[in-house]
Amino acid sequence: MTTFYAPTSPEISKREQTHMETIRALAANCMVLLENDGTLPLSAQTKKVALFGNGARHTVKGGTGSGDVNSRVVVAIEQGLEKAGYTVTTKNWLGEYDQCVAQAKQTYTEKLEAVKKQYGSSAGVLYYLKNPFLEPHVQAVTTKDIHESGTDTAVYVLARNSGEGKDRNNTRGEFQLAEEELEAIRLLAASYKKFILLLNIGGIIDTTELLQIQGINAILMIGQLGNITGFAVTDVLFGKTVPSGKLTDTWASNYLDYPSSDTYSHMNGDVDDEYYSEGIYVGYRYFDTFNITPNYCFGYGKAYTEFSIQTLDITVNEENISVTVEVKNIGKIHPGREVVQIYTSAPAGSLEKPYQELSAFAKTQLLAPGGDEILTISFPVSSMASYSEKEAAWVMEAGTYYIRVGNASRNTKIEAAIHLSSTVKTVQLKNLFPMDEPMEEISSRNISSYSYASEAFEKENAKILTLDPSEILLQLIKYQSERPTYLDQYPDVKITIDEVKNKQFTSEELIAQLTVQEMAELCVGTSGGRATVVANAAITVPGAGGETATLEDRGIRSIVLADGPAGLRLTPHFRATADRELLPGGEIMGFDYNPLPEAGPEGSVDYYQYCTAIPVATSLAQSWDMNLIEHIGKIVGKEMQEFHVHLWLAPGMNIHRNPLCGRNFEYYSEDPLLTGKCAAAETRGVQYYPGQGTTLKHFAANNHEDNRMFTNAHVSERTLREIYLKGFEIAVKESRPLSIMTSYNLINGTHAANHFDLIQSAARDEWGFAGVVMTDWYTSNKLTDEIHKYPISSSPLCIKAGNDLQMPGSQQNIDDIVSAIEAGGESITLADLQFCVTNILNVSLRIH
C-alpha cells in the first residue's frame, strides 16, 4: 500500500501563506530599476492607475516546461493593485485582450489535442515543448482608452515567456518589441504625466527602440517573481518596499553585438554543432574587452536613492585579498541597499585576458537616508588565475593585477595594483577536454579595450601591493587510477542497509552481495515507460519527476526526485482509492492536463500538493544577496520535507551565453562566479533540512535548447574551465550538493552523460564531489525514429563514466547494462557498476 504525504484538506495551508508572505517581503531585492526620473515611487495621492500590456492580467510567474510550478494562485499585476486599494481604470482594454488570449488558447489547445489523439500523450508534451503557447500580440491602445481612463498615471506591463525545449527568436514579439507594443508605449508616454514600463520578463529583450521614446518616466525590470508577483510589484511601485536588484547580464544595444549571435542555436540553420568560437569572451568579458557599449552593463541597477562608496583599505597575503569599503546612503528621502562589486584585471602574457572579471561582491543592509555600513569583502588570490592548456594548470602570470571597486561593471575605480614578479601555478591538473575538431577562437590581441577618462590616472596613483610568488602554494590533484571490485566477505549473512547505517557493515560489503541485475535496477529509475506525462514518473509523490528503485529484502528505499528550479513541480490535486491506489487524472505539464473527474469512487480520498512558486533563478541572482537566496532555498527545502521529496532537480546554473536561450530564466547569469555563489546559497538553504538535497544542472555546456539532446558543443578546455564549469566547481566546493545532473548535449564529440573526465576527473577528483550523478530525463532512450547526426548516449557508458543514475528509467536501460557486464571486456566492468551503486547508496544513507 502506497503512503501519500500530501494533506487531504483543500484549504490553503499556513505553510503556503507564510512562504508567499516571505517571498513578497524579499522580492523587491530582485527587481532592477533601469530608469527613473523621480516618478517612482508613486505618491500616496495616486489612487487610479491606467493599466495596459500583455502582462497586466496575464502576469508571468515563471517560464514553461519542467521548471513550471503548479501553485494554487498566481497574483497578477492588476490583482495586486486592486488588493492594495488602487483602482484600475482600463477594464475594457484588459477585457478585450482577455478575449484575444482565450481565442489563441482555444486554437492552440485544439492543435495539441489533435497531436495527442494521433500520436499519444507523450507526443503532445514534446509538441508543447517545441511549440510552447505564446500569448497573442496586444491590441492597439486608442485615444479613447486614454481619455476614458480618468487618471494621469499609466503602467504598461510588457511580458515575455519562454521555456524548455525551444530557443527564442530575434524577431518582433520575442527578443524585439512588437510594433503594437512600441506604438502603444509611444502613445502612452506622450499622453500621461506619469508613465511607467514594467518588464515582466525572464530574459533580455532589445531595449534600444524603447530608450528612444520620450516620456517614459521609469522602467522597472520586475522579472518573474513567482505566484505573488502582483503583490510584490505593487509594494515597490508605491514605496512600501524599495528595489535593490542589479543586472546579471549585459543588455546589448543590438542582438548582433553578442559574439555568438550569428551561429547561436538555429540562427545559422545548424542545430547539430555549436562552436564556442568566442572562447572566454562571454557577456561583459566580451563587451569590455572589445569596447562595445551596451544599453545596460553587467551589474547595473538604480535605486530610489543614491549611494557613495569609499574604499578604506585593501590588504593581500598569499591566500586572500581583502577590500574594506564604507557605503553611505547620501539621499534624503528613501532607504535603499547597495551592491559593492569588485573586479580584477589580470596582466596579459602568453594567455589573453579579459579587460576585467568579477572577483567578489557584497550587499549592504537596508540603509536609511544618511545611514552607512562598512563591508569587508575577501576573495582568494588563486581566483585571479587563468587556465593554461599548455601547462595543464591554473596559472597567475607575472605582472600587475588591478583591483577595481564600484557598483556596476562600468562604474568602478581602480583602488590597488598588486605586483607579482614571476609566474606561478596555483593548481596542477591534467587536460580533460580535447577538441574533436579544429576551431579558431576570436582574439583580443591588438584590440583597444574599454576605458574611461580617469583610468590611466587611477593606475598611476593606485595603492601598490606585492605578492611573493614563493608563498603561493601549488595544489596537486590526484586522479582516480582504478576502481576496485568488491567481493563478498560474508556469504552466510544477508546484509541490509539498516546494518550499514548502524555501522555493522559498510556500503561496499552490502554491494558485494548484490547481483548484476539488482545493481542495474538500482542505477535506473523506476518509470519503466509508465509515465503519461514527461517528468511525471514518481509513485509515492504524484507529479514528481521520478524515483529510484527499491530492494525490499535489503531495506533499500527509493529516492524521490522533483523538478525545479522555481519551486517544486508536483501534481496539485490527485485522488487515490481507499486502498491508496493512485487514480488517473490531475497531472499538469503546461497545456498537457489530464483532469480529475468531478467525483471519485466510493471511499476515495483527495490529496493536495500546492507548492510555492519562488522567483526564477535570474530574478534571484539579481538580488546579489546570498542570504536572501539561502532563505528562499529553505522555503523549497521545507516543502520538500513536507511532501517527502528527497532531491530537488535544481538549481539550474548554465551560463547565459546568448540572450535567445529559451531556458535562461532558469539560470542565474552570464558570469560564472555569481552563478556558482547563487547555486551554493540555494543549496545551503535546501540542505539545511536533513534528508533533502539539490541537483546542480545541466552539467555541462548546455546553453541552448533547440535539438538539445543531439547537439555537439565544440569548446576549448580553457573556455570550459573558466566559464562553463567554474560555477559548478564553486557550488560543489562551497555547498556540497547531494547530486549533479548531466546535460543532454555532447562535449567535443562525447555525450556529457558518457564523459568520464567530466564526471569523474573534474567533478569528483578535482572538486571533491561525493554525491550521486544522474542523467537528464530520457538521455539514454530513443524517443522517436528521427535521424540525427549524433546518436543518443549509451546506458553502459553512463556507468563507465560514473553517471550513477539513469532517469526516469526503462527496462531497456537495465537490459543494456546487464548485457554489457555479461559480455565482459573493458568497456564496462563489474567495478564500474559497483562504484555507481556505492554512490547511490551513500546518498540514500544521508537521505533516509
Side-chain angles (χ1 to χ4, degrees), residues 39-44 46 49 153 155 194 196 236-239 304:
T39 296
L40 288 181
L42 294 170
S43 69
T46 303
V49 176
T153 302
V155 173
K194 291 173 283 188
I196 299 151
V236 167
L237 289 179
F238 289 89
Y304 287 167

Side-chain angles (χ1 to χ4, degrees), residues 650-655 667-668 671-680 683 695-703 720-737 739-743 745 747 752 758 762-764 766-769:
M653 50 186 306
N654 294 106
I655 294 297
Y667 310 140
Y668 298 111
D671 181 74
L673 173 73
L674 182 57
T675 292
K677 293 288 186 181
C678 290
T683 295
T695 306
L696 308 185
K697 67 179 189 184
H698 307 87
F699 190 54
N702 178 187
N703 303 102
L720 271 170
R721 288 187 177 276
E722 292 193 15
I723 305 296
Y724 300 101
L725 298 183
K726 178 57 70 173
F728 288 97
E729 179 181 0
I730 291 168
V732 166
K733 289 180 175 178
E734 293 190 1
S735 65
R736 302 298 177 188
S739 59
I740 290 175
M741 180 192 291
T742 52
S743 53
N745 55 281
I747 300 175
L758 176 71
R764 295 192 187 279
E766 293 180 4
W767 309 342
F769 177 70

Side-chain angles (χ1 to χ4, degrees), residues 251-403:
W251 291 37
S253 63
N254 189 309
Y255 171 73
L256 296 178
D257 286 346
Y258 294 100
S260 60
S261 58
D262 288 338
T263 60
Y264 178 78
S265 185
H266 56 261
M267 293 301 290
N268 64 350
D270 178 8
V271 293
D272 292 321
D273 294 278
E274 189 73 12
Y275 295 92
Y276 288 58
S277 58
E278 73 276 11
I280 62 171
Y281 298 112
V282 177
Y284 69 90
R285 289 169 170 79
Y286 174 76
F287 284 81
D288 292 347
T289 306
F290 289 79
N291 195 20
I292 298 172
T293 302
N295 283 347
Y296 297 109
C297 69
F298 174 82
Y300 169 86
K302 289 177 174 286
Y304 287 167
T305 186
E306 298 289 336
F307 300 93
S308 65
I309 299 175
Q310 181 182 0
T311 301
L312 303 179
D313 193 21
I314 297 180
T315 61
V316 62
N317 58 36
E318 69 275 10
E319 293 184 355
N320 291 298
I321 297 168
S322 293
V323 180
T324 301
V325 299
E326 180 185 55
V327 184
K328 186 172 183 177
N329 181 348
I330 57 176
K332 297 181 179 180
I333 301 174
H334 301 291
R337 302 182 69 192
E338 180 63 291
V339 178
V340 178
Q341 302 167 37
I342 301 175
Y343 297 82
T344 55
S345 297
S350 62
L351 298 172
E352 290 188 18
K353 308 291 170 55
Y355 171 79
Q356 63 179 351
E357 297 181 274
L358 182 69
S359 290
F361 56 89
K363 192 167 189 175
T364 67
Q365 299 300 311
L366 187 67
L367 300 179
D372 60 67
E373 182 177 356
I374 294 177
L375 300 171
T376 297
I377 308 166
S378 299
F379 59 97
V381 166
S382 60
S383 69
M384 298 193 297
S386 303
Y387 189 78
S388 167
E389 295 178 20
K390 179 180 179 181
E391 300 290 338
W394 288 95
V395 299
M396 291 182 64
E397 294 193 289
T400 301
Y401 293 75
Y402 291 105
I403 308 298

Side-chain angles (χ1 to χ4, degrees), residues 442-655:
I442 63 175
S443 173
S444 63
R445 302 290 187 190
N446 302 317
I447 294 290
S448 296
S449 297
Y450 160 77
S451 186
Y452 51 94
S454 62
E455 185 172 26
F457 175 83
E458 291 170 8
K459 287 182 177 181
E460 292 176 2
N461 292 275
K463 179 179 180 179
I464 297 175
L465 301 168
T466 302
L467 266 174
D468 185 345
S470 66
E471 293 184 351
I472 298 176
L473 299 179
L474 172 63
Q475 180 186 4
L476 300 175
I477 299 297
K478 181 179 180 182
Y479 294 92
Q480 184 189 70
S481 56
E482 186 177 350
R483 291 170 178 163
T485 301
Y486 309 139
L487 302 176
D488 187 6
Q489 303 296 320
Y490 303 95
D492 298 328
V493 178
K494 191 167 189 176
I495 302 172
T496 67
I497 195 73
D498 286 338
E499 291 170 319
V500 174
K501 196 168 187 176
N502 294 332
K503 302 189 184 305
Q504 296 171 258
F505 298 95
T506 66
S507 297
E508 293 79 7
E509 288 167 340
L510 187 159
I511 291 165
Q513 295 187 339
L514 300 181
T515 65
V516 170
Q517 178 72 29
E518 288 173 324
M519 287 190 288
E521 290 175 359
L522 288 174
C523 288
V524 174
T526 58
S527 172
R530 137 185 91 65
T532 59
V533 177
V534 174
N536 176 19
I539 299 170
T540 58
V541 184
E547 59 186 293
T548 64
T550 63
L551 287 180
E552 292 185 6
D553 62 333
R554 301 285 183 169
I556 298 174
R557 291 180 282 172
S558 67
I559 300 171
V560 178
L561 309 89
D563 248 315
L568 294 182
R569 191 179 69 80
L570 304 177
T571 301
H573 177 199
F574 66 92
R575 186 176 291 141
T577 67
D579 294 330
R580 295 179 188 168
E581 179 182 346
L582 185 65
L583 295 169
E587 304 99 330
I588 297 177
M589 177 66 173
F591 274 79
D592 191 19
Y593 176 56
N594 183 14
L596 280 168
E598 289 187 9
E602 185 177 352
S604 63
V605 179
D606 287 61
Y607 297 87
Y608 302 89
Q609 297 180 130
Y610 289 109
C611 299
T612 307
I614 65 174
V616 298
T618 300
S619 291
L620 287 179
Q622 286 175 175
S623 75
W624 292 65
D625 185 339
M626 300 306 105
N627 291 329
L628 178 150
I629 295 174
E630 184 172 338
H631 194 101
I632 289 181
K634 289 181 180 179
I635 287 176
V636 178
K638 182 69 173 177
E639 296 187 2
M640 292 171 66
Q641 189 180 59
E642 176 180 338
F643 296 116
H644 286 240
V645 171
H646 305 119
L647 292 179
W648 186 36
L649 303 179
M653 50 186 306
N654 294 106
I655 294 297

Side-chain angles (χ1 to χ4, degrees), residues 124-144:
V125 174
L126 292 176
Y127 175 86
Y128 162 74
L129 291 174
K130 293 181 179 180
N131 305 276
F133 173 74
L134 297 176
E135 292 187 343
H137 290 180
V138 294
Q139 76 274 17
V141 174
T142 67
T143 54
K144 180 182 178 182

